[in-house]
Amino acid sequence: MPAHVLMLSSSRVGDEDYLAHAKPMILSHLGDKRDVLFIPYAGVKVSFDEYTAKVQAALPECRVTGLHTFEHPAQAVTEAIQAGKAILTGGGNTFNLLANLYKNSLIAPICLAIESGVPYIGWSAGSNICGATIRTTNDMPVIEPPSFDALALLPCQLNPHYSDYHPPGFNGETRDQRLAEFTTLNPDTPVLAIREGTALELSRGKLTFKGEYGGFVFSGKEKTAIEDGDDLSQFLHR
């Protein structure tokens, strides 16, 4: 069954309420499903219980259960296939998220669930892990996962929270320079850079960019703009 995946750049745009801009996309992506497993492992300074409660408050239409509450998380993900549940993964620190996925042996079960038709929605770190690796995350490596290899739902890389803003007087490397470093060393691996308030949707074998703020594809030495509705299915193949 084709994967049904929504990769949101961020949980907020500007100073809006938590998940406010994303909620219509989330509910539409879920279809008639309202039971969701929430993966809170990207949280560091917030407890997993608090994080789950925050998502539940933002999505009162859904029944949100934290994956951390199960004695056997991998089994809970596997059972989501038959239970008709969806999987949500929140933002935070991508390294902490991936380390916890490896710790709980969740990479293969999550991929299997998605391959079996379980809807998946992630934002920020939860989107980062949909790429081949997490090597283009903006996050600090506060913990070392066993590998940078991620879910590989896309064979390319993602960069949520993309911004090309260059503060006056700032002398560090810009986001564009950092992404260009990656594509210089990995010229055959594109990076899909998506601004806050935008998303990528993988459904029915098609990858589509969504959002009025636009984004960019970094590939080799090229930087190409992408706009709302653009078909990016070429990046599903390497």
Side-chain angles (χ1 to χ4, degrees), residues 173-193:
E173 285 78 6
T174 64
R175 185 75 54 79
D176 280 23
Q177 288 172 318
R178 290 301 193 199
L179 295 179
E181 288 175 346
F182 177 88
T183 55
T184 296
L185 296 176
N186 303 273
D188 297 326
T189 305
V191 181
L192 306 183

PDB file of all heavy atoms in Angstrom, residues 173-193:
ATOM      1  N   GLU A 173      28.264  30.964   9.448  1.00  0.00           N
ATOM      2  CA  GLU A 173      27.729  30.434   8.203  1.00  0.00           C
ATOM      3  C   GLU A 173      26.200  30.534   8.178  1.00  0.00           C
ATOM      4  O   GLU A 173      25.550  30.294   9.185  1.00  0.00           O
ATOM      5  CB  GLU A 173      28.142  28.972   8.020  1.00  0.00           C
ATOM      6  CG  GLU A 173      29.592  28.768   7.607  1.00  0.00           C
ATOM      7  CD  GLU A 173      30.559  28.904   8.771  1.00  0.00           C
ATOM      8  OE1 GLU A 173      30.097  29.043   9.924  1.00  0.00           O
ATOM      9  OE2 GLU A 173      31.779  28.885   8.533  1.00  0.00           O
ATOM     10  N   THR A 174      25.658  30.891   7.043  1.00  0.00           N
ATOM     11  CA  THR A 174      24.220  30.942   6.874  1.00  0.00           C
ATOM     12  C   THR A 174      23.687  29.533   6.617  1.00  0.00           C
ATOM     13  O   THR A 174      24.444  28.598   6.364  1.00  0.00           O
ATOM     14  CB  THR A 174      23.836  31.838   5.691  1.00  0.00           C
ATOM     15  OG1 THR A 174      24.353  31.249   4.486  1.00  0.00           O
ATOM     16  CG2 THR A 174      24.403  33.232   5.857  1.00  0.00           C
ATOM     17  N   ARG A 175      22.354  29.384   6.662  1.00  0.00           N
ATOM     18  CA  ARG A 175      21.749  28.091   6.355  1.00  0.00           C
ATOM     19  C   ARG A 175      22.101  27.655   4.936  1.00  0.00           C
ATOM     20  O   ARG A 175      22.417  26.488   4.703  1.00  0.00           O
ATOM     21  CB  ARG A 175      20.235  28.185   6.514  1.00  0.00           C
ATOM     22  CG  ARG A 175      19.501  26.859   6.346  1.00  0.00           C
ATOM     23  CD  ARG A 175      19.681  25.969   7.560  1.00  0.00           C
ATOM     24  NE  ARG A 175      19.302  26.667   8.756  1.00  0.00           N
ATOM     25  CZ  ARG A 175      18.047  26.859   9.178  1.00  0.00           C
ATOM     26  NH1 ARG A 175      17.052  26.365   8.489  1.00  0.00           N
ATOM     27  NH2 ARG A 175      17.795  27.510  10.295  1.00  0.00           N
ATOM     28  N   ASP A 176      22.067  28.591   3.999  1.00  0.00           N
ATOM     29  CA  ASP A 176      22.410  28.251   2.621  1.00  0.00           C
ATOM     30  C   ASP A 176      23.834  27.719   2.519  1.00  0.00           C
ATOM     31  O   ASP A 176      24.101  26.755   1.783  1.00  0.00           O
ATOM     32  CB  ASP A 176      22.255  29.474   1.708  1.00  0.00           C
ATOM     33  CG  ASP A 176      20.813  29.719   1.300  1.00  0.00           C
ATOM     34  OD1 ASP A 176      19.901  29.266   2.021  1.00  0.00           O
ATOM     35  OD2 ASP A 176      20.589  30.374   0.266  1.00  0.00           O
ATOM     36  N   GLN A 177      24.744  28.336   3.240  1.00  0.00           N
ATOM     37  CA  GLN A 177      26.135  27.879   3.198  1.00  0.00           C
ATOM     38  C   GLN A 177      26.264  26.472   3.787  1.00  0.00           C
ATOM     39  O   GLN A 177      26.999  25.633   3.258  1.00  0.00           O
ATOM     40  CB  GLN A 177      27.035  28.861   3.948  1.00  0.00           C
ATOM     41  CG  GLN A 177      27.233  30.170   3.207  1.00  0.00           C
ATOM     42  CD  GLN A 177      27.970  31.200   4.050  1.00  0.00           C
ATOM     43  OE1 GLN A 177      27.711  31.356   5.257  1.00  0.00           O
ATOM     44  NE2 GLN A 177      28.892  31.917   3.433  1.00  0.00           N
ATOM     45  N   ARG A 178      25.563  26.206   4.861  1.00  0.00           N
ATOM     46  CA  ARG A 178      25.622  24.883   5.482  1.00  0.00           C
ATOM     47  C   ARG A 178      25.048  23.808   4.552  1.00  0.00           C
ATOM     48  O   ARG A 178      25.612  22.717   4.421  1.00  0.00           O
ATOM     49  CB  ARG A 178      24.858  24.878   6.810  1.00  0.00           C
ATOM     50  CG  ARG A 178      25.522  25.667   7.921  1.00  0.00           C
ATOM     51  CD  ARG A 178      26.904  25.165   8.227  1.00  0.00           C
ATOM     52  NE  ARG A 178      27.434  25.709   9.467  1.00  0.00           N
ATOM     53  CZ  ARG A 178      28.713  25.722   9.795  1.00  0.00           C
ATOM     54  NH1 ARG A 178      29.599  25.199   8.951  1.00  0.00           N
ATOM     55  NH2 ARG A 178      29.112  26.231  10.937  1.00  0.00           N
ATOM     56  N   LEU A 179      23.919  24.124   3.925  1.00  0.00           N
ATOM     57  CA  LEU A 179      23.319  23.149   3.008  1.00  0.00           C
ATOM     58  C   LEU A 179      24.194  22.967   1.776  1.00  0.00           C
ATOM     59  O   LEU A 179      24.296  21.860   1.233  1.00  0.00           O
ATOM     60  CB  LEU A 179      21.912  23.585   2.623  1.00  0.00           C
ATOM     61  CG  LEU A 179      20.899  23.610   3.774  1.00  0.00           C
ATOM     62  CD1 LEU A 179      19.539  24.090   3.286  1.00  0.00           C
ATOM     63  CD2 LEU A 179      20.768  22.236   4.427  1.00  0.00           C
ATOM     64  N   ALA A 180      24.834  24.042   1.332  1.00  0.00           N
ATOM     65  CA  ALA A 180      25.742  23.935   0.194  1.00  0.00           C
ATOM     66  C   ALA A 180      26.954  23.071   0.543  1.00  0.00           C
ATOM     67  O   ALA A 180      27.500  22.377  -0.329  1.00  0.00           O
ATOM     68  CB  ALA A 180      26.193  25.322  -0.262  1.00  0.00           C
ATOM     69  N   GLU A 181      27.377  23.117   1.800  1.00  0.00           N
ATOM     70  CA  GLU A 181      28.468  22.232   2.222  1.00  0.00           C
ATOM     71  C   GLU A 181      28.057  20.768   2.063  1.00  0.00           C
ATOM     72  O   GLU A 181      28.831  19.932   1.579  1.00  0.00           O
ATOM     73  CB  GLU A 181      28.842  22.516   3.684  1.00  0.00           C
ATOM     74  CG  GLU A 181      29.562  23.831   3.895  1.00  0.00           C
ATOM     75  CD  GLU A 181      29.810  24.131   5.362  1.00  0.00           C
ATOM     76  OE1 GLU A 181      29.201  23.466   6.235  1.00  0.00           O
ATOM     77  OE2 GLU A 181      30.609  25.029   5.646  1.00  0.00           O
ATOM     78  N   PHE A 182      26.817  20.482   2.476  1.00  0.00           N
ATOM     79  CA  PHE A 182      26.338  19.102   2.358  1.00  0.00           C
ATOM     80  C   PHE A 182      26.288  18.670   0.902  1.00  0.00           C
ATOM     81  O   PHE A 182      26.757  17.581   0.546  1.00  0.00           O
ATOM     82  CB  PHE A 182      24.959  18.947   2.996  1.00  0.00           C
ATOM     83  CG  PHE A 182      24.394  17.557   2.843  1.00  0.00           C
ATOM     84  CD1 PHE A 182      24.680  16.574   3.774  1.00  0.00           C
ATOM     85  CD2 PHE A 182      23.614  17.217   1.750  1.00  0.00           C
ATOM     86  CE1 PHE A 182      24.202  15.279   3.623  1.00  0.00           C
ATOM     87  CE2 PHE A 182      23.115  15.937   1.591  1.00  0.00           C
ATOM     88  CZ  PHE A 182      23.418  14.956   2.524  1.00  0.00           C
ATOM     89  N   THR A 183      25.695  19.495   0.047  1.00  0.00           N
ATOM     90  CA  THR A 183      25.538  19.077  -1.345  1.00  0.00           C
ATOM     91  C   THR A 183      26.859  19.094  -2.110  1.00  0.00           C
ATOM     92  O   THR A 183      26.989  18.420  -3.124  1.00  0.00           O
ATOM     93  CB  THR A 183      24.499  19.963  -2.066  1.00  0.00           C
ATOM     94  OG1 THR A 183      24.862  21.339  -1.959  1.00  0.00           O
ATOM     95  CG2 THR A 183      23.117  19.754  -1.468  1.00  0.00           C
ATOM     96  N   THR A 184      27.833  19.851  -1.618  1.00  0.00           N
ATOM     97  CA  THR A 184      29.162  19.795  -2.223  1.00  0.00           C
ATOM     98  C   THR A 184      29.803  18.441  -1.959  1.00  0.00           C
ATOM     99  O   THR A 184      30.399  17.820  -2.847  1.00  0.00           O
ATOM    100  CB  THR A 184      30.058  20.916  -1.670  1.00  0.00           C
ATOM    101  OG1 THR A 184      29.513  22.184  -2.054  1.00  0.00           O
ATOM    102  CG2 THR A 184      31.489  20.799  -2.207  1.00  0.00           C
ATOM    103  N   LEU A 185      29.648  17.957  -0.742  1.00  0.00           N
ATOM    104  CA  LEU A 185      30.228  16.659  -0.367  1.00  0.00           C
ATOM    105  C   LEU A 185      29.344  15.496  -0.793  1.00  0.00           C
ATOM    106  O   LEU A 185      29.825  14.353  -0.893  1.00  0.00           O
ATOM    107  CB  LEU A 185      30.458  16.605   1.148  1.00  0.00           C
ATOM    108  CG  LEU A 185      31.483  17.596   1.701  1.00  0.00           C
ATOM    109  CD1 LEU A 185      31.541  17.514   3.224  1.00  0.00           C
ATOM    110  CD2 LEU A 185      32.866  17.332   1.110  1.00  0.00           C
ATOM    111  N   ASN A 186      28.062  15.779  -1.034  1.00  0.00           N
ATOM    112  CA  ASN A 186      27.108  14.733  -1.428  1.00  0.00           C
ATOM    113  C   ASN A 186      26.312  15.225  -2.645  1.00  0.00           C
ATOM    114  O   ASN A 186      25.094  15.457  -2.558  1.00  0.00           O
ATOM    115  CB  ASN A 186      26.157  14.417  -0.272  1.00  0.00           C
ATOM    116  CG  ASN A 186      26.884  13.997   0.988  1.00  0.00           C
ATOM    117  OD1 ASN A 186      27.192  12.832   1.184  1.00  0.00           O
ATOM    118  ND2 ASN A 186      27.156  14.969   1.855  1.00  0.00           N
ATOM    119  N   PRO A 187      26.960  15.400  -3.789  1.00  0.00           N
ATOM    120  CA  PRO A 187      26.317  16.036  -4.940  1.00  0.00           C
ATOM    121  C   PRO A 187      25.140  15.257  -5.518  1.00  0.00           C
ATOM    122  O   PRO A 187      24.328  15.828  -6.245  1.00  0.00           O
ATOM    123  CB  PRO A 187      27.450  16.155  -5.960  1.00  0.00           C
ATOM    124  CG  PRO A 187      28.431  15.094  -5.565  1.00  0.00           C
ATOM    125  CD  PRO A 187      28.364  15.027  -4.071  1.00  0.00           C
ATOM    126  N   ASP A 188      25.039  13.979  -5.190  1.00  0.00           N
ATOM    127  CA  ASP A 188      23.941  13.170  -5.726  1.00  0.00           C
ATOM    128  C   ASP A 188      22.756  13.062  -4.777  1.00  0.00           C
ATOM    129  O   ASP A 188      21.795  12.334  -5.062  1.00  0.00           O
ATOM    130  CB  ASP A 188      24.445  11.759  -6.069  1.00  0.00           C
ATOM    131  CG  ASP A 188      25.495  11.775  -7.162  1.00  0.00           C
ATOM    132  OD1 ASP A 188      25.395  12.628  -8.062  1.00  0.00           O
ATOM    133  OD2 ASP A 188      26.428  10.937  -7.111  1.00  0.00           O
ATOM    134  N   THR A 189      22.820  13.773  -3.644  1.00  0.00           N
ATOM    135  CA  THR A 189      21.738  13.714  -2.658  1.00  0.00           C
ATOM    136  C   THR A 189      21.111  15.091  -2.484  1.00  0.00           C
ATOM    137  O   THR A 189      21.683  15.957  -1.828  1.00  0.00           O
ATOM    138  CB  THR A 189      22.258  13.203  -1.298  1.00  0.00           C
ATOM    139  OG1 THR A 189      22.912  11.946  -1.471  1.00  0.00           O
ATOM    140  CG2 THR A 189      21.108  13.041  -0.315  1.00  0.00           C
ATOM    141  N   PRO A 190      19.942  15.326  -3.051  1.00  0.00           N
ATOM    142  CA  PRO A 190      19.284  16.628  -2.920  1.00  0.00           C
ATOM    143  C   PRO A 190      18.790  16.871  -1.490  1.00  0.00           C
ATOM    144  O   PRO A 190      18.546  15.930  -0.727  1.00  0.00           O
ATOM    145  CB  PRO A 190      18.098  16.535  -3.883  1.00  0.00           C
ATOM    146  CG  PRO A 190      18.365  15.345  -4.747  1.00  0.00           C
ATOM    147  CD  PRO A 190      19.186  14.408  -3.917  1.00  0.00           C
ATOM    148  N   VAL A 191      18.618  18.135  -1.160  1.00  0.00           N
ATOM    149  CA  VAL A 191      18.038  18.552   0.115  1.00  0.00           C
ATOM    150  C   VAL A 191      16.785  19.373  -0.184  1.00  0.00           C
ATOM    151  O   VAL A 191      16.845  20.359  -0.920  1.00  0.00           O
ATOM    152  CB  VAL A 191      19.019  19.400   0.946  1.00  0.00           C
ATOM    153  CG1 VAL A 191      18.376  19.782   2.284  1.00  0.00           C
ATOM    154  CG2 VAL A 191      20.327  18.664   1.168  1.00  0.00           C
ATOM    155  N   LEU A 192      15.646  18.959   0.396  1.00  0.00           N
ATOM    156  CA  LEU A 192      14.408  19.722   0.267  1.00  0.00           C
ATOM    157  C   LEU A 192      14.291  20.630   1.483  1.00  0.00           C
ATOM    158  O   LEU A 192      14.097  20.153   2.604  1.00  0.00           O
ATOM    159  CB  LEU A 192      13.202  18.777   0.177  1.00  0.00           C
ATOM    160  CG  LEU A 192      13.280  17.695  -0.913  1.00  0.00           C
ATOM    161  CD1 LEU A 192      11.986  16.885  -0.936  1.00  0.00           C
ATOM    162  CD2 LEU A 192      13.561  18.300  -2.281  1.00  0.00           C
ATOM    163  N   ALA A 193      14.459  21.921   1.268  1.00  0.00           N
ATOM    164  CA  ALA A 193      14.444  22.907   2.349  1.00  0.00           C
ATOM    165  C   ALA A 193      13.076  23.579   2.382  1.00  0.00           C
ATOM    166  O   ALA A 193      12.676  24.233   1.413  1.00  0.00           O
ATOM    167  CB  ALA A 193      15.543  23.938   2.131  1.00  0.00           C
TER     168      ALA A 193
END
